[in-house]
Amino acid sequence: MKRLASLIFAAASCCLAAGQLQLFQAPQNGTEQLVTGSWELPSVQTGDSVSTRFRIRNTGDAAVSLTALRVAGTGFSMTGQPSLPHIVAPGTNVDFTIIFRAPDSGSYSANLLVNSTGILLRASGVPAATVHWNGTALTSDTSIDLGRLERGSETVSRFELRNGGRETVGVNSVSVEGVGFSLTAPSPAPVVLKPGESATFDLRLRPLTSGILTGKLIVDRREFRLTATATEPQMPRPAVILDSGTLRSGQQGRLSIRLASPSKANVKGRIRLDLRPYGDVKDNDGAARFITGGRSVDFEVKEGDSIIRFGADGELIYQTGTTAGTIVFTVEAGGFTEQASLTVAPEAAMIDRGTAARSGSTIDVRVSGYDNTRTVSEVAFTFYTKTGQALSGMPIRVAVARDFASWWTSSTLGGMYSLKASFPVTGDAAQVTAVEVQLTNTSGTTKTERLSF
Amino acid sequence: MRFGILFLVAAAFINADIERPLIGTIRDLAGDLRPVYGVAGAFVLGDVITEDAESAKSASNRESARAEAEGTLEGDEVVIRRTGVRLRAPAGVSDVETLGKGWLLLRSPSRLYAVRTDAGREEIYALPEADK
């Protein structure tokens, strides 16, 4: 049924105000067209809308006051107009937009009033099925927000094609565009709907990436914007697994980072090694570290991982260094902070290697190792003859606390040391053929084997 | 017969030095020459050593000669010549060199290893990467 509005409009002339204002239809990317008397807007499907931009230009050489600008008619509205009164300077424009939304099929008209001049606007509503979602009839300018969901999960939304009019309508095509968006079944179109009939279809969203997602639902020529927000799945809680809870100084250990379940997320993380020495010992231990990366190692958790891999290994090698205390491993990933620790006990000074050599009448003794307590106070030397007897006056005890304290202050190697002592010999130095070296700290004493030279 | 030996104890410790324990020098994975400090199980790579051609050549000759005396790679095992002990080499190891007195160096594309060759203390350790 056609519906006509009975409107009386003023006779149109080529100019809207005393030889100065003219009205044009101004498309976004096209040529302006002079509007005289009436204007036909594009047809639109029932329930949908169309926007048309118009432009008032002052073609004269004097300013004109725009005092009236309005539209009246079923389905017609105006946006973008200036507040009135508005002075239009010579050569300048005023733009505004007329929106027509077809409530039903049929013909519609409206009066566009510009100052004292009226223009007849016409438009038609074409019979079509309306698209409904969540009980709401959709128009082309509405955005369908499918909500928040985790990347890799899925949501299905039901849409309905409904014929609320009095004529049979057809829908030729239904399609979806956008990464992650799809129809769950073959398109319901083409479909013919009698008055009162409807057809449904389901739209699936399965985000492949996290972030803001956009797509389009296209029903014949109508497009409906789809949006959603995909969040990164939560990573499972990580745990640091040590191969031992107690190690000595000077040892290498292994650890792994395991997840409570296979990860659904791709996440970056970091594991850190912190050394907390006992007492007031300073952490200057360059050997307390991971084999790769020093005191921290970055890693990536990939979807499906349940063990973090470091290079080709599933384990990370670390050194306990040469400082007594607690080593704390902290892993940070996916919003979690988890820790594991191991104890490195104080011990008597460790001698890793001892050598002695005669050079003329001097005997050089070198001892290297570590003192993880930094408290070595005495070094004792016992020299032996070739018959295996200790020389009289042995051992030679030397107080070394101050020398070592100075060394620890400047060293960056924790408790490591290499001590060289030279002994000038008076008499037959060839008779002296071996030496034992003993170090004493607060945890005890350590002695080398008999070093021959 | 007793003989008197007088040790100048005070003088001895005037000649005493405490320093970093140096194990040897290596070419790291980037090809830079670096010292290796530490003791077994606790290693630290030192700063890059600036070298001239002559010192590099003599160092190379020394290493080659001593490598013959210290150890070899046989399949996936490292054989320590002096003791005959065989240790399973880590995956990817393709070369063995001398690191220092009592030490061998194993080289793989992604990691370096130190092997202790002292009798009764033979063991393979991973060497840390140099700090960037």
Side-chain angles (χ1 to χ4, degrees):
Chain A
M1 181 182 76
K2 293 190 178 179
R3 188 183 303 168
L4 288 175
S6 56
L7 295 171
I8 298 172
F9 59 91
S13 64
C14 64
C15 303
L16 297 178
Q20 290 181 312
L21 292 184
Q22 287 190 309
L23 180 67
F24 298 87
Q25 194 271 317
Q28 200 75 21
N29 298 307
T31 308
E32 290 179 348
Q33 295 183 67
L34 183 66
V35 177
T36 57
S38 64
W39 186 263
E40 185 83 26
L41 273 66
S43 298
V44 67
Q45 291 179 313
T46 303
D48 225 334
S49 64
V50 64
S51 299
T52 304
R53 185 170 66 174
F54 291 90
R55 177 168 294 158
I56 298 170
R57 180 178 294 129
N58 183 350
T59 58
D61 51 14
V64 175
S65 177
L66 183 63
T67 58
L69 180 62
R70 57 180 179 268
V71 66
T74 301
F76 291 84
S77 61
M78 179 187 291
T79 67
Q81 69 274 30
S83 56
L84 302 177
H86 179 81
I87 304 299
V88 186
T92 64
N93 308 328
V94 172
D95 287 1
F96 62 93
T97 299
I98 295 295
I99 300 169
F100 172 66
R101 189 184 303 279
D104 203 346
S105 60
S107 299
Y108 296 83
S109 63
N111 180 40
L112 170 62
L113 183 67
V114 183
N115 282 357
S116 60
T117 302
I119 301 294
L120 176 65
L121 300 179
R122 291 197 182 91
S124 297
V126 176
T130 51
V131 182
H132 294 254
W133 171 69
N134 266 359
T136 303
L138 303 176
T139 59
S140 296
D141 56 359
T142 55
S143 190
I144 304 165
D145 185 1
L146 299 179
R148 291 175 70 91
L149 64 163
E150 280 187 356
R151 176 185 60 76
S153 68
E154 180 179 292
T155 185
V156 176
S157 302
R158 173 147 292 182
F159 290 77
E160 184 184 24
L161 303 170
R162 190 185 295 171
N163 183 359
R166 287 179 281 274
E167 298 173 45
T168 297
V169 297
V171 176
N172 294 314
S173 69
V174 174
S175 62
V176 174
E177 290 180 358
V179 176
F181 296 92
S182 63
L183 298 177
T184 60
S187 169
V191 62
V192 174
L193 299 174
K194 294 178 183 169
E197 284 186 343
S198 64
T200 62
F201 63 92
D202 291 331
L203 187 152
R204 176 191 290 121
L205 170 59
R206 177 180 286 171
L208 303 178
T209 59
S210 54
I212 304 294
L213 309 174
T214 58
K216 275 193 276 193
L217 169 63
I218 305 170
V219 179
D220 287 334
R221 288 180 306 168
R222 283 173 291 167
E223 296 183 355
F224 304 92
R225 187 164 176 266
L226 303 169
T227 66
T229 301
T231 59
E232 197 61 20
Q234 173 80 47
M235 191 189 93
R237 180 180 295 273
V240 179
I241 310 295
L242 302 178
D243 62 349
S244 173
T246 304
L247 286 176
R248 293 181 57 198
S249 285
Q251 288 191 302
Q252 293 185 339
R254 289 172 179 266
L255 65 83
S256 58
I257 301 175
R258 300 190 186 167
L259 305 180
S261 60
S263 177
K264 294 181 188 175
N266 296 317
V267 175
K268 290 187 195 273
R270 172 175 290 180
I271 181 163
R272 205 174 65 237
L273 183 157
D274 292 304
L275 171 62
R276 298 173 188 172
Y278 290 148
D280 55 4
V281 172
K282 184 177 70 168
D283 175 10
N284 62 343
D285 198 334
R289 54 167 289 165
F290 296 108
I291 292 297
T292 56
R295 286 284 180 100
S296 68
V297 176
D298 294 334
F299 58 85
E300 284 194 33
V301 180
K302 297 274 172 60
E303 196 172 333
D305 285 347
S306 53
I307 296 178
I308 311 304
R309 303 207 70 81
F310 297 95
D313 302 326
E315 294 182 313
L316 196 53
I317 303 173
Y318 62 90
Q319 296 184 149
T320 57
T322 54
T323 305
T326 304
I327 293 178
V328 179
F329 300 96
T330 304
V331 64
E332 295 166 327
F336 293 105
T337 299
E338 298 293 324
Q339 290 186 329
S341 61
L342 67 89
T343 302
V344 181
E347 57 185 283
M350 186 271 191
I351 299 173
D352 184 66
R353 186 179 293 277
T355 59
R358 185 186 300 106
S359 175
S361 60
T362 300
I363 298 171
D364 293 325
V365 181
R366 184 181 285 278
V367 175
S368 61
Y370 64 78
D371 171 15
N372 76 354
T373 67
R374 314 281 201 285
T375 60
V376 67
S377 56
E378 179 185 274
V379 181
F381 301 87
T382 304
F383 287 89
Y384 296 85
T385 66
K386 63 174 70 172
T387 60
Q389 285 183 313
L391 295 177
S392 63
M394 297 295 117
I396 301 169
R397 296 182 188 278
V398 184
V400 294
R402 195 167 57 182
D403 295 292
F404 271 91
S406 177
W407 166 244
W408 305 134
T409 301
S410 61
S411 172
T412 58
L413 298 184
M416 287 194 239
Y417 68 89
S418 179
L419 169 69
K420 180 186 171 187
S422 297
F423 296 86
V425 177
T426 301
D428 185 4
Q431 297 298 316
V432 184
T433 59
V435 64
E436 289 173 353
V437 183
Q438 178 173 289
L439 277 75
T440 300
N441 71 1
T442 54
S443 292
T445 60
T446 308
K447 192 165 65 174
T448 65
E449 59 188 9
R450 195 164 295 185
L451 308 172
S452 301
F453 51 84
Chain B
M1 172 184 170
R2 273 185 184 273
F3 45 86
I5 297 174
L6 176 64
F7 291 87
L8 300 175
V9 175
F13 251 77
I14 289 173
N15 293 325
D17 296 312
I18 306 174
E19 58 188 22
R20 292 177 290 188
L22 177 66
I23 291 176
T25 55
I26 62 165
R27 287 211 177 272
D28 64 15
L29 291 175
D32 294 321
L33 195 63
R34 292 180 183 270
V36 179
Y37 298 110
V39 298
F43 305 94
V44 176
L45 294 196
D47 294 334
V48 173
I49 299 170
T50 306
E51 54 184 317
D52 55 40
E54 204 50 49
S55 67
K57 182 181 166 188
S58 60
S60 173
N61 287 342
R62 275 202 308 279
E63 289 169 12
S64 299
R66 291 173 68 181
E68 284 297 318
E70 295 278 356
T72 57
L73 198 60
E74 292 182 10
D76 60 358
E77 288 185 323
V78 178
V79 182
I80 298 168
R81 288 187 190 278
R82 189 148 39 96
T83 63
V85 167
R86 290 174 173 265
L87 300 172
R88 181 169 290 278
V93 167
S94 58
D95 194 26
V96 59
E97 308 164 15
T98 291
L99 169 53
K101 183 176 166 59
W103 292 93
L104 291 174
L105 177 72
L106 302 182
R107 192 176 288 278
S108 80
S110 58
R111 185 166 286 167
L112 301 175
Y113 301 87
V115 184
R116 183 156 207 163
T117 61
D118 295 333
R121 303 171 80 178
E122 298 89 346
E123 192 167 346
I124 298 178
Y125 302 90
L127 280 180
E129 294 175 353
D131 288 334
K132 292 186 175 62

